[in-house]
Every structure is written in C-alpha cells, then in structure tokens.
Amino acid sequence: MYKINGYILALLLVLLLAGCKKEAVLQPSNKDENNLVVKDNPADPVDHAIYQFFQATGVPIFYNDTIARQQVGDSAGIPRYSFQKLSIAYSITGYRTRGITFKLLPRKEVLLPLLPLLKGGFLSRAPLNIPIYSLLIVERMQVGGSLNNGISTIMNKPYAFLNTLMLPIINPDTMTVASRRSYIAEVLTAFAYQKLLPGYSKQIDDSFHSITKKSYDGELIYIQPLSSLSPDGSKQLEDFGFIETGYSSTLILQEYTPLPQDDLLSYLYSVFFYDTVADFESRYANHPLVLQKFKVIRDIVKQMGFRFAN
C-alpha cells in the first residue's frame, strides 16, 4: 500500500515539473504603479488634450473603462495579460452595484468640447480637499434602481463609483446656458452625494429629513400618496418640504412623495443649479419648509468644501 502511494506521488511530481517547463513563470506586476495617471501622446490630438487637462487639474479623464494592460506571463509562446479596469461595479459603501449598463464613446474626439466645461464648471466648484480619482466619459449609461444606494433608476445622468465619476457625453457648443448649468449641477450632485455617505448621514437625518418628518403627524411620509398626507386636498407636496428633482428618475411632484435619498438628491441639484440663493427663494417663497431644507443642504455642502460665487 505504501509503495503504491510512493509511486503515485513520484508520478505526480514528474508531471508537475513537466507542466512547469511548458509555461513561463509568472512575473510579479508593478504593484506601486498608479494607473490613474495620464501619459502624453503628442501624436494624438485627443490624448494630448486629455494629458494637458490632467497636467492642469490633476484629474485623469478616460474614454475606456480598461485603463491599463500588463503582461504577466507566457503560455506556449502566447503572452498572458492582466487588465486593470475602473471600479464601476462597486460603490463607496462596499457592496456590488447592479443593473449598470453603459456604452463607450463611438469616437473619442467627441469629448474635446466637454473638457473646458468640466474644468471651468465642475472642477472650479468641487472641494479642493476631496480627491477626484478619475472621470469616465461614455456615450450613454444607466444605473439600476433600488440596489443603487436606494435611489431611483439613473439614466444618462452622472454617477459616482468607487474610483471614478461616470459622465454621459454632451456637446456644450450645442446647448443653452441653462442646459450647460444643469449638466454641471448634475455632475456636482453625483459627486457630492457619494461623499455625503456615510459621514454626513446622521447630520442629514437630524437636520434635513427631520424637517419633513415633523411636518406630518403620521408615522410614514416618504413614498406615500399625497392623498393620505392631505385627504382634503388642501396641501401640496411642497408644503411638506418636497421639490421637483432635477437628477434622478423619481415621480415628479404629482401624487407620491419621493424616497428619502431622492429627496436629498433634489436639494443637492437645486443647491448647485441656482446661481444665487435669492433665485431659489423667489420660486419657493410661499413654502418655508422648502427654504429651511435648502439652507441645511447648502450649509452642509459648503462645510464639505464645495465652492459658490456668493
């Protein structure tokens, strides 16, 4: 019995050694290499413009989610590669985000008009103390619903992942001033929303969501029909502190209250969209709860380091 086992072990050892001769030993990759660094390509106008953007801002822009390729070995003369991708499938909370679909740009040249807007609009207002790891520009995108940090389905709107902020492509040269301002507000909203969680969650619950919860004697106020909050029809959703969203695909002020997360997103968008506080206040002058919630969120994002003209 022991002799047979010895023969078997010897045979396995010979086979193992023979297999090792057929395939080259894997070489360790350079673990210290930072793939979120843009390298210049003077021969390519787009790549060179992206490099200049990176040199000026420190923020890398990508038009492909695969950002690096390293040869890690050789099998029978055929190279073996390891591909480094941006972390699209993971959120800041650590769980895997589902329902993500996106399409890469048909031509990378289409992102050139967007670079000045991102530099002068988004980066000029983002906090200096919060790193922006990378921007991924795509043709179109969709992020699924309830599994996506609890917010509604996002379609062709910016969304922040673990190490990148995905942005749908636009051409600012063909847009109105208001449309360009809306796009930048969406980018800032996505970035701020990610950075608010989980560090500011308690502060938001205590000083923001509580305003709406105290406006109603019932137990539940979010995701409820307006008819149950105001059976006689005398109140609007704004009377409970809800406003239209400019970001996610929630029910617009009609019959139901939004999710708490979408409530927050609607105010983040408004904080970044309106040029001045007075512009917002003039629209909702008759809704004091809305004005209170707007001030709370504006104060929080200013505390985070987001910059405003006034």
Side-chain angles (χ1 to χ4, degrees), residues 294-310:
F294 181 83
K295 184 180 184 304
V296 167
I297 294 304
R298 196 171 193 273
D299 288 345
I300 289 177
V301 296
K302 288 181 70 175
Q303 178 185 350
M304 295 173 68
F306 285 89
R307 292 166 283 173
F308 297 87
N310 62 322

Side-chain angles (χ1 to χ4, degrees), residues 83-128:
F83 296 92
Q84 301 297 321
K85 288 181 170 257
L86 294 171
S87 299
I88 302 300
Y90 293 89
S91 73
I92 194 66
T93 55
Y95 63 79
R96 190 174 184 87
T97 307
R98 301 181 184 180
I100 304 170
T101 59
F102 62 94
K103 183 178 180 181
L104 298 177
L105 297 178
R107 297 180 299 107
K108 60 185 179 180
E109 290 79 9
V110 299
L111 67 77
L112 287 176
L114 181 57
L115 299 182
L117 181 63
L118 292 176
K119 182 179 179 182
F122 169 49
L123 297 180
S124 67
R125 299 180 63 184
L128 297 173

Side-chain angles (χ1 to χ4, degrees), residues 28-103:
S29 62
N30 185 0
K31 294 182 180 180
D32 295 329
E33 183 177 355
N34 182 5
N35 291 317
L36 296 178
V37 171
V38 175
K39 298 178 181 178
D40 194 13
N41 180 9
D44 189 305
V46 177
D47 291 340
H48 183 60
I50 291 175
Y51 174 76
Q52 290 178 316
F53 183 94
F54 176 71
Q55 289 294 102
T57 66
V59 178
I61 288 183
F62 298 101
Y63 45 81
N64 195 325
D65 61 322
T66 300
I67 59 175
R69 184 185 75 166
Q70 296 176 337
Q71 184 172 346
V72 296
D74 182 279
S75 178
I78 301 175
R80 298 179 61 188
Y81 294 97
S82 170
F83 296 92
Q84 301 297 321
K85 288 181 170 257
L86 294 171
S87 299
I88 302 300
Y90 293 89
S91 73
I92 194 66
T93 55
Y95 63 79
R96 190 174 184 87
T97 307
R98 301 181 184 180
I100 304 170
T101 59
F102 62 94
K103 183 178 180 181

Side-chain angles (χ1 to χ4, degrees), residues 166-186:
M166 185 186 291
L167 312 177
I169 188 66
I170 61 165
N171 184 353
D173 297 338
T174 64
M175 300 169 66
T176 65
V177 173
S179 295
R180 292 195 294 269
R181 190 168 79 246
S182 178
Y183 181 82
I184 291 301
E186 291 171 355

Side-chain angles (χ1 to χ4, degrees), residues 279-298:
D279 291 339
F280 182 86
E281 290 178 339
S282 64
R283 177 173 179 178
Y284 294 101
N286 297 324
H287 303 286
L289 297 187
V290 170
L291 300 182
Q292 290 179 39
K293 291 173 71 174
F294 181 83
K295 184 180 184 304
V296 167
I297 294 304
R298 196 171 193 273

